[in-house]
Amino acid sequence: MSKPTQDLIKEHGGIMLMLSIMGKVADSLRQGQEVKREHLEKIVEFLKNFADKCHHGKEESILFPELAKNIANQKLINDFLGEHKSGRDYIRGIAESLPQYAPGNPDAIHIATNADGYIRLLTEHIKKENTVLFPIADKELSEEMQTELFKKFETLEHDVIGEGKHEEYHGWLKELESEYLS
Ligand SMILES: [Fe+2]
Ligand SMILES: [Fe+2]
């Protein structure tokens, strides 16, 4: 059986790798070193489409509503939704400064500050989903329901990201990893 939580945990792995890359990029920006605009643009697109639209989309429109049917889970779900919203604010902060970015200018610092905030937020958020929320989902949702949710995930991924794009994003991760983490 394909588990919806396993799919999300796998995506968390990709997002965590991007957070590590962003940490190095933020250090370079703060030190006034040049970071290629193309790399910053790829980071923003990855966060907007892969992390937010696709991954958070699966959680917000498919998994969370099912878990929120149990009143005991509602407070927890609301906390997670609030964190997704804060994440969007950080991404917007990075995207807004991108057009004016030049090494060492205030926009470089603004991008680094928002990247730091996003890294801190998502690191805790992902840890909490993996260790608190997903075990609840595995326990409370029937096998049939989990299979149904997984199918909905596949449809959303196809509709939101489209054919081939997922692989392309993983290619970007590899490219940025060898540039900043090796
Ligand atoms: Fe989440
Ligand atoms: Fe998540």
Side-chain angles (χ1 to χ4, degrees):
M1 183 189 67
S2 301
K3 267 184 173 324
T5 51
Q6 282 307 319
D7 184 54
L8 295 173
I9 287 169
K10 210 171 100 200
E11 290 180 352
H12 282 167
I15 296 169
M16 291 294 290
L17 177 54
M18 182 53 95
L19 298 181
S20 303
I21 293 163
M22 287 168 72
K24 293 283 182 185
V25 167
D27 288 344
S28 299
L29 290 170
R30 258 190 305 271
Q31 289 159 14
Q33 292 163 359
E34 177 161 18
V35 174
K36 282 187 193 152
R37 178 172 298 276
E38 180 210 339
H39 290 168
L40 295 171
E41 283 166 354
K42 282 181 173 172
I43 290 170
V44 169
E45 186 181 328
F46 180 92
L47 297 181
K48 276 188 181 167
N49 286 341
F50 182 87
D52 199 42
K53 273 198 196 145
C54 178
H55 180 81
H56 293 159
K58 285 175 181 177
E59 293 175 347
E60 289 186 6
S61 63
I62 300 169
L63 179 69
F64 290 179
E66 202 52 46
L67 290 173
K69 286 180 182 168
N70 180 350
I71 284 176
N73 295 333
Q74 282 176 4
K75 155 106 183 47
L76 192 59
I77 300 279
N78 279 336
D79 291 346
F80 283 110
L81 289 172
E83 289 164 9
H84 287 179
K85 194 173 164 296
S86 304
R88 271 167 214 138
D89 293 338
Y90 286 124
I91 300 172
R92 199 175 311 118
I94 297 172
E96 276 170 4
S97 279
L98 199 45
Q100 304 80 249
Y101 161 72
N105 78 351
D107 288 287
I109 304 303
H110 192 245
I111 293 172
T113 306
N114 278 283
D116 287 340
Y118 188 83
I119 293 165
R120 263 197 310 275
L121 176 78
L122 262 281
T123 304
E124 280 309 305
H125 179 84
I126 285 174
K127 206 190 290 169
K128 221 166 28 157
E129 283 181 342
N130 285 356
T131 60
V132 180
L133 189 69
F134 294 173
I136 292 175
D138 292 344
K139 202 171 100 210
E140 289 186 2
L141 303 176
S142 68
E143 287 215 358
E144 292 73 22
M145 178 53 73
Q146 293 190 42
T147 305
E148 191 184 319
L149 296 185
F150 184 79
K151 279 190 195 138
K152 287 186 182 168
F153 278 7
E154 289 185 305
T155 308
L156 180 143
E157 189 170 310
H158 179 270
D159 293 349
V160 168
I161 299 247
E163 291 294 342
K165 204 61 191 170
H166 220 265
E167 286 68 31
E168 195 182 335
Y169 287 144
H170 282 287
W172 290 5
L173 274 177
K174 276 215 165 77
E175 180 198 336
L176 295 170
E177 182 184 20
S178 69
E179 179 90 19
Y180 295 98
L181 298 179
S182 59

